Amino acid sequence: MVNPCRKQIFNIYIGFYCSVIILPQMCICSHFSMPPSDQFNKDPGAFPVATNGEPFPWRELRLPSTVSPLHYDLFVHPNLTSLDFVASEKIEVLVRDATQFIILHSKDLEIMNATLHSEEDLRYRKPGKKLNVLSYLAHQQIALLVPEKLMADLRYYVAIDFQAKLADGFEGFYKSTYRTLGGETRTIAVTDFEPTEARMAFPCFDEPLFKANFSIKIRRESRHIALSNMPKVKTIELEGGLLEDHFETTVKMSTYLVAYIVCDFKSVSGTSSSGVKVSIYASPDKWNQTHYALEASLKLLDFYENYFDINYLLPKLDLVAIPDFASGAMENWGLITYRETSLLFDPKTSSASDKLWVTRVIAHELAHQWFGNLVTMEWWNDIWLNEGFANYMELISVNATYPELQFDNYFLDVCFEVIKRDSLNSSRPISNQAESPTQIQEMFDEVSYNKGACILNMLKDFLSEEKFQKGIIHYLKKFSFRNAKNEDLWSSLSNSCLEGGFTSGGFCYSDSKMTSNTLTFLGENVEVKEMMTPWTLQKGIPLVVVNQEGRLLRLRQERFLSRVFKEDPARSALQERYLWHIPLTYSTSSSNVIHRHILKSKTDTLDLPEKTSWVKFNVDSNGYYIVHYEGHGWDQLITQLNQNHTLFRPKDRIGLIHDAFQLVSAGRLTLDKALDLTHYLQHETSVLALLKGLRYLELFYHMMDRRNISDVTENLKHYLLRYFKPMIDAQSWSDEGSVWDRMLRSALLQLACYLNHAPCIRNATELFSQWMESSGKLNIPTDVLKIVYSVGAQTTAGWNSLLEHYELSMSGAEKNKILYALSTTKHQEKLMKLIELGMEGKVIKTQDFAPLLHAIARNPKGQQIAWNFVRENWTHLLKKFDLGSFAMRIIISGTTSHFSSKDELQEVKLFFESLKAQGSHLDIFQIVLETISKNIKWLEKNLPTLRTWLLVKI
């Protein structure tokens, strides 16, 4: 799955300015020493009560292992007029231990009939035995009680008839609508099951370990088509003009990957090098936006088949743009579903960043066809094995297939974003216990996605690309059609040495790294599992402290906490028992050689081969750690940046900027020193380094503006416009240049217009006037489109015209830009109107409400409106979004995490306490409270320094 401000999702890309402040093996065995049915018969009073008042024979959230599914025959008939469906299924099961009941998952389904057949019943055509069905809503489970005990090692067949309404939200089997160019509203039916919503569409063993084959039949009207995981085998004509499509039986897979759609979409198709038919589907009026996705999908599919040395295993691959979709995309095997903005590309309205996003999401979901679909995590505690790998493979695949997008540069931000979360005490380990559906939903966050990807990239850099690739191929082949856990990955990477490779203790090293500086460390018998286990089972990020004394380097590691200062009495307790095996890399002023060392203890020393004026750790920022240079370390680095910054690699310059400002948040470096470091940016040619420095300065401006600290706000505005003026004035209002030139243009001009820079406002106003005069038909350059719309939205006439155009636009990319622009108005009544339209869900779709509210909260005129709305409408919001959903987490963090006063902190704390009292609890509550506390501490410690520094500089 891809989250939207990341895939969430958090990389959710929504076209809005996402907030810079973020947001043990589980076996499937019974928990009882005796068989569960015997335990139930012995003491039924110890079990929960079913909806009919009878004892329910199972009390755990996880299903028992006594019965396993082998095959589902599933028939579904949705009615897109009455918005409901009728269905039936026959599940072939294998009984592993004798039992008198079968436990399945089921949610919001009306079970009309359930029968059981033995193999003998089917052989002699005997009638099935009617089953008594009990329901336990709290665990979303049903129990099928059998009249006679089911015997071990035998197969049985469970037949169930059921019906339900098409769901209103974004989970299970739900309805989605779209508007045609002619103004007609049409309805489709679509599934989205990850992580625990297959049970909303059919009774099933809805856990990833219960893999089975699925044979699916869908009944529909002739005006629609039906799609599912596999190709269609045949279509049968029925009475009344109905058609019934039969699909090939799937490969063995988990329930969350099952998918089917009934729609009237059109497609464009092509064939991969290995003969796989790839099709992109969209609503008819958006068919012309599907062609880039087809090109990218074919390229990426060919790449993955070669890279993994495993062919894509299905005959076809469909990618479908869904009008209403909660996340960025979902990797259903053979039928991948996407939010429209994650798949469709309109050359007239999609910017360079839009193109990068679409390419990334396609790469992410195609990677899942191997990581997640072919090999699936045993339980949701290890969802990072799916999502972290898919995020990592974005880097590898996009770099290889679209080098012009320079995604390698962007990947640094993937890691920097999660460090904000991971440096809080409220963070969590990558592999973390999750039992309830809400807890499982919360696992889909930046820790699973981004941190998972970053530690994989660090390991790849340590092992070498060749050895790492060989290891993951070994992992995929060994666990194909099976489930895996953390240690299975480390074992595969430990036992994947190439012929002639250097092996130490089962660990594989690259021959190219066997230099005089690495031989000693290579002989330390470090194994992958020993090195990597702390990175997945321990929360947080390490801080490596470096103290240079001549040719001697003194190193120590500690846990990095962004709001815990040295004088904090709780600091020592928060540091206890944290230890990583850190694969360090470093370079020096006297050599371009990359030196390597594993820091396995709290302290260590290194001898440099020669005298050097500076040393820089974490080469190319491939390591997941922050570095602090004690003594004169930072002064020496800043001096070098000012004298000749090109002696550092571009990524090292970005890393220095990032680490410096992170250290300020922990009280380890003064703000004026970090700001002094950015002074060299006037000579910087790396777009990424420029953007990194610009973002920190912009962050400080927004913080001052929201708090109405007017003198600092005004001085910072003058500094930004003066300091970046040559770069701003050099920008053309066009789509020319490389991808990153274009992104820099968008960032600089957006900042300039936000700060009311007269030339920027003048150019944007002129373009908007021309657009208005053309009745919205003028093609404005895509990279400045959001900027032009934002300036135009500041007048009542412009705002109204944009809202009208929003309703008519057929481009999701353009609609995102318009919605952002509308959210920047200074008129509070207009902001309230946007919220009302978002809650209504017609003009502004419900899927866009969370990012809309987030954008409004970032507007100083809207922050209180958004926060008040959440508090006053919490119950209404829960009717639209699941408690643990990405949308709710964005709503909570997006409207609160920018707060920076003690009064605001108290307000938020009281609100969260009231929610807990009502039974609502999320991990995001503590993350938000800690983030606000961090903001308060930052201002207390750094506001005077910022004020003084600006007075000197301007």
Side-chain angles (χ1 to χ4, degrees):
M1 187 193 298
V2 166
N3 286 322
C5 192
R6 159 235 76 127
K7 196 180 189 181
Q8 308 22 244
I9 339 47
F10 130 70
N11 270 350
I12 267 181
Y13 174 77
I14 44 183
F16 290 165
Y17 189 151
C18 290
S19 174
V20 290
I21 303 172
I22 304 298
L23 308 165
Q25 175 187 353
M26 304 300 297
C27 73
I28 199 163
C29 54
S30 166
H31 295 265
F32 304 114
S33 56
M34 65 178 73
S37 56
D38 293 345
Q39 177 76 10
F40 175 65
N41 292 332
K42 183 177 179 182
D43 186 14
F47 286 77
V49 177
T51 51
N52 67 352
E54 294 182 29
F56 190 81
W58 187 247
R59 60 189 177 196
E60 306 299 323
L61 273 167
R62 301 283 296 278
L63 298 180
S65 61
T66 48
V67 179
S68 295
L70 301 175
H71 180 266
Y72 293 77
D73 260 312
L74 178 62
F75 163 79
V76 185
H77 180 197
N79 187 321
L80 298 189
T81 303
S82 58
L83 302 178
D84 53 18
F85 66 94
V86 295
S88 62
E89 65 181 350
K90 183 170 73 174
I91 312 173
E92 179 185 354
V93 300
L94 174 64
V95 176
R96 301 187 182 278
D97 294 302
T99 181
Q100 285 191 299
F101 55 81
I102 299 172
I103 306 296
L104 296 170
H105 286 112
S106 178
K107 180 183 178 185
D108 299 334
L109 300 175
E110 181 186 351
I111 310 296
M112 296 179 290
N113 187 46
T115 56
L116 179 78
H117 289 83
S118 66
E119 290 187 297
E120 182 182 332
D121 291 338
L122 292 180
R123 191 179 304 120
Y124 296 106
R125 298 188 178 182
K126 294 182 180 179
K129 301 175 181 66
K130 188 171 177 63
L131 300 175
N132 185 21
V133 182
L134 300 181
S135 178
Y136 184 45
L137 299 181
H139 289 178
Q140 301 172 0
Q141 293 171 353
I142 57 171
L144 308 179
L145 306 185
V146 298
E148 298 174 7
K149 184 174 284 191
L150 304 180
M151 304 309 294
D153 301 320
L154 293 183
R155 297 187 181 199
Y156 294 86
Y157 301 84
V158 177
I160 305 175
D161 299 322
F162 55 99
Q163 62 185 17
K165 285 283 188 184
L166 289 171
D168 285 325
F170 305 96
E171 297 88 27
F173 193 24
Y174 69 95
K175 63 179 181 289
S176 173
T177 60
Y178 72 92
R179 190 173 180 273
T180 68
L181 268 174
E184 177 190 357
T185 298
R186 295 183 182 175
T187 302
I188 69 168
V190 60
T191 59
D192 191 52
F193 292 160
E194 190 180 29
T196 59
E197 278 77 45
R199 65 195 67 174
M200 294 177 66
F202 57 99
C204 56
F205 297 82
D206 200 11
E207 294 178 3
L209 199 56
F210 287 115
K211 291 193 170 187
N213 303 99
F214 297 81
S215 298
I216 296 174
K217 303 179 185 69
I218 300 177
R219 195 169 290 178
R220 60 178 172 85
E221 296 178 50
S222 59
R223 63 193 172 105
H224 294 130
I225 60 169
L227 302 171
S228 190
N229 304 84
M230 300 296 288
K232 186 169 60 176
V233 177
K234 62 180 178 180
T235 298
I236 299 174
E237 293 189 18
L238 305 172
E239 292 182 4
L242 291 176
L243 302 174
E244 187 173 289
D245 293 328
H246 294 212
F247 297 89
E248 283 183 30
T249 300
T250 70
V251 295
K252 191 177 178 184
M253 65 187 194
S254 304
T255 49
Y256 78 87
L257 294 170
V258 174
Y260 38 91
I261 301 170
V262 176
C263 63
D264 62 347
F265 286 1
K266 305 298 180 188
S267 67
V268 58
S269 301
T271 304
S272 73
S273 298
S274 60
V276 177
K277 182 182 180 183
V278 178
S279 303
I280 315 296
Y281 286 85
S283 58
D285 292 327
K286 297 179 182 177
W287 176 85
N288 61 342
Q289 300 176 41
T290 59
H291 296 85
Y292 176 71
L294 179 63
E295 172 205 305
S297 301
L298 290 168
K299 269 191 182 184
L300 288 159
L301 189 61
D302 286 346
F303 170 81
Y304 282 135
E305 289 188 323
N306 291 324
Y307 186 89
F308 296 137
D309 193 32
I310 303 171
N311 279 347
Y312 174 75
L313 292 170
L314 306 189
K316 65 90 176 175
L317 176 62
D318 297 334
L319 296 80
V320 188
I322 306 299
D324 300 279
F325 205 74
S327 63
M330 176 57 210
E331 65 267 18
N332 316 298
W333 211 342
L335 182 60
I336 308 176
T337 44
Y338 292 78
R339 187 179 280 229
E340 289 183 333
T341 49
S342 298
L343 186 66
L344 304 181
F345 181 82
D346 178 10
K348 292 181 179 179
T349 57
S350 298
S351 64
S353 58
D354 292 330
K355 189 171 192 176
L356 178 60
W357 173 250
V358 168
T359 313
R360 286 183 59 200
V361 180
I362 292 172
H364 185 104
E365 301 310 324
L366 263 61
H368 273 313
Q369 307 304 296
W370 287 266
F371 283 102
N373 299 8
L374 181 61
V375 179
T376 312
M377 74 277 141
E378 278 196 4
W379 184 246
W380 301 106
N381 62 306
D382 276 333
I383 186 58
W384 84 275
L385 290 175
N386 287 17
E387 300 300 350
F389 253 113
N391 255 24
Y392 168 75
M393 288 310 302
E394 290 177 26
L395 168 67
I396 303 302
S397 62
V398 175
N399 271 350
T401 54
Y402 288 92
E404 69 275 15
L405 293 180
Q406 299 173 294
F407 182 62
D408 189 47
N409 292 329
Y410 181 86
F411 190 77
L412 291 181
D413 268 347
V414 170
C415 301
F416 293 160
E417 278 304 310
V418 71
I419 285 172
K420 293 170 189 168
R421 158 83 183 273
D422 216 18
S423 63
L424 299 175
N425 191 45
S426 52
S427 189
R428 65 165 181 85
I430 289 178
S431 183
N432 198 44
Q433 186 171 349
E435 291 292 318
S436 71
T438 296
Q439 290 170 341
I440 291 167
Q441 280 183 311
E442 287 194 278
M443 290 294 290
F444 290 80
D445 65 0
E446 61 267 37
V447 173
S448 292
Y449 285 83
N450 294 19
K451 185 176 180 180
C454 295
I455 67 165
L456 289 171
N457 185 57
M458 177 174 67
L459 182 58
K460 179 262 296 181
D461 179 65
F462 179 67
L463 293 177
S464 84
E465 172 73 43
E466 182 184 28
K467 304 290 170 60
F468 187 81
Q469 181 181 357
K470 186 174 176 66
I472 60 177
I473 290 172
H474 176 65
Y475 168 78
L476 288 170
K477 289 184 175 179
K478 181 176 180 179
F479 293 98
S480 289
F481 300 108
R482 295 166 57 196
N483 298 76
K485 51 190 181 296
N486 243 348
E487 45 264 49
D488 296 324
L489 174 63
W490 307 143
S491 296
S492 295
L493 288 164
S494 295
N495 298 305
S496 59
C497 288
L498 298 175
E499 192 72 31
F502 177 87
T503 310
S504 173
F507 190 79
C508 208
Y509 298 90
S510 166
D511 296 335
S512 64
K513 294 175 185 172
M514 294 175 61
T515 67
S516 59
N517 296 307
T518 55
L519 280 173
T520 303
F521 119 75
L522 285 176
E524 290 181 351
N525 295 319
V526 177
E527 295 186 1
V528 170
K529 182 178 178 182
E530 179 188 5
M531 184 173 105
M532 296 307 297
T533 296
W535 292 97
T536 54
L537 299 186
Q538 185 173 255
K539 69 180 178 180
I541 179 171
L543 171 68
V544 176
V545 181
V546 181
N547 198 321
Q548 183 179 354
E549 299 173 3
R551 287 171 52 183
L552 180 69
L553 292 179
R554 297 190 185 278
L555 308 176
R556 73 174 186 273
Q557 65 163 290
E558 54 190 71
R559 181 185 174 198
F560 179 74
L561 289 162
S562 65
R563 70 177 183 90
V564 181
F565 302 151
K566 274 190 172 182
E567 61 271 19
D568 196 316
R571 183 175 179 272
S572 59
L574 294 171
Q575 291 287 347
E576 285 179 8
R577 298 186 301 279
Y578 282 87
L579 184 69
W580 289 266
H581 288 196
I582 310 173
L584 300 176
T585 55
Y586 61 98
S587 60
T588 69
S589 62
S590 54
S591 170
N592 285 325
V593 173
I594 299 175
H595 305 268
R596 296 178 182 273
H597 177 74
I598 298 182
L599 181 60
K600 297 193 294 184
S601 54
K602 284 284 189 182
T603 61
D604 205 349
T605 57
L606 290 175
D607 291 313
L608 296 173
E610 54 193 321
K611 190 176 181 182
T612 181
S613 60
W614 53 260
V615 60
K616 164 68 176 69
F617 275 77
N618 199 3
V619 176
D620 280 335
S621 297
N622 282 319
Y624 188 74
Y625 55 92
I626 289 172
V627 186
H628 177 43
Y629 303 91
E630 288 191 329
H632 298 292
W634 277 107
D635 293 330
Q636 291 161 344
L637 293 167
I638 291 170
T639 298
Q640 183 61 70
L641 282 170
N642 285 319
Q643 288 176 352
N644 182 6
H645 64 276
T646 62
L647 287 186
F648 297 112
R649 293 171 169 82
K651 289 182 184 176
D652 284 340
R653 304 198 294 267
I654 298 166
L656 286 171
I657 296 169
H658 170 265
D659 284 6
F661 283 104
Q662 290 302 308
L663 290 164
V664 169
S665 72
R668 305 301 288 265
L669 195 68
T670 60
L671 177 61
D672 55 349
K673 188 158 290 188
L675 289 168
D676 286 344
L677 185 149
T678 66
H679 187 69
Y680 93 95
L681 287 173
Q682 58 192 317
H683 307 296
E684 181 59 87
T685 54
S686 164
V687 172
L688 266 293
L690 282 168
L691 286 173
K692 194 66 192 169
L694 182 65
R695 282 169 190 157
Y696 278 113
L697 295 169
E698 194 174 357
L699 168 64
F700 301 153
Y701 178 84
H702 288 301
M703 183 184 285
M704 300 303 125
D705 193 24
R706 281 193 295 265
R707 283 295 303 275
N708 198 25
I709 305 172
S710 55
D711 63 318
V712 180
T713 303
E714 199 61 26
N715 287 341
L716 192 49
K717 170 184 171 178
H718 290 317
Y719 176 78
L720 283 165
L721 288 177
R722 191 182 74 181
Y723 190 74
F724 288 99
K725 185 178 187 300
M727 295 177 212
I728 292 170
D729 291 346
Q731 302 306 313
S732 64
W733 290 68
S734 69
D735 288 338
E736 297 169 355
S738 71
V739 166
W740 288 100
D741 288 337
R742 295 171 64 182
M743 289 196 185
L744 178 64
R745 175 184 302 126
S746 295
L748 286 171
L749 293 180
Q750 181 167 331
L751 175 64
C753 280
Y754 186 83
L755 297 178
N756 285 314
H757 184 48
C760 186
I761 297 293
R762 185 168 58 249
N763 286 333
T765 302
E766 184 178 341
L767 280 170
F768 188 75
S769 296
Q770 293 171 10
W771 179 82
M772 289 269 284
E773 288 168 8
S774 73
S775 300
K777 293 181 174 59
L778 175 71
N779 289 330
I780 296 171
T782 60
D783 295 329
V784 298
L785 188 56
K786 184 166 76 169
I787 301 161
V788 172
Y789 285 166
S790 297
V791 171
Q794 302 314 307
T795 67
T796 297
W799 196 90
N800 290 335
S801 292
L802 283 167
L803 183 58
E804 184 180 331
H805 189 71
Y806 177 88
E807 198 168 353
L808 299 174
S809 176
M810 284 290 141
S811 165
E814 182 180 37
K815 287 170 85 80
N816 272 348
K817 294 174 179 66
I818 294 173
L819 202 54
Y820 171 82
L822 293 172
S823 76
T824 64
T825 179
K826 305 293 190 293
H827 297 284
Q828 294 185 334
E829 70 277 5
K830 289 183 171 61
L831 296 175
M832 272 308 305
K833 181 175 182 178
L834 289 177
I835 292 175
E836 290 163 6
L837 290 172
M839 284 296 282
E840 184 185 45
K842 293 178 181 177
V843 175
I844 299 173
K845 282 185 168 287
T846 302
Q847 67 172 6
D848 296 318
F849 181 74
L852 169 65
L853 202 61
H854 186 184
I856 290 172
R858 286 187 56 80
N859 180 343
K861 296 293 185 182
Q863 56 182 349
Q864 200 60 42
I865 292 173
W867 168 228
N868 289 341
F869 178 84
V870 171
R871 286 188 292 175
E872 293 164 9
N873 294 273
W874 180 257
T875 305
H876 296 300
L877 290 170
L878 281 179
K879 290 176 183 176
K880 288 185 173 291
F881 308 104
D882 282 352
L883 177 64
S885 66
F886 176 73
M888 282 303 283
R889 283 178 278 152
I890 276 291
I891 287 169
I892 293 164
S893 64
T895 56
T896 57
S897 61
H898 58 277
F899 287 156
S900 57
S901 74
K902 291 179 180 178
D903 287 345
E904 290 167 330
L905 176 62
Q906 186 62 20
E907 274 186 15
V908 176
K909 192 178 292 185
L910 289 173
F911 178 61
F912 288 168
E913 286 172 0
S914 73
L915 296 183
K916 288 179 187 177
Q918 299 167 30
S920 296
H921 176 72
L922 292 172
D923 291 343
I924 195 72
F925 293 173
Q926 188 55 39
I927 294 167
V928 165
L929 292 175
E930 196 173 347
T931 300
I932 298 172
S933 298
K934 170 187 163 183
N935 296 342
I936 293 169
K937 281 193 172 185
W938 193 97
L939 271 175
E940 289 174 349
K941 192 171 184 71
N942 295 301
L943 179 57
T945 305
L946 179 59
R947 180 177 274 124
T948 302
W949 187 86
L950 285 169
L951 287 172
V952 171
K953 294 298 177 182
I954 62 170

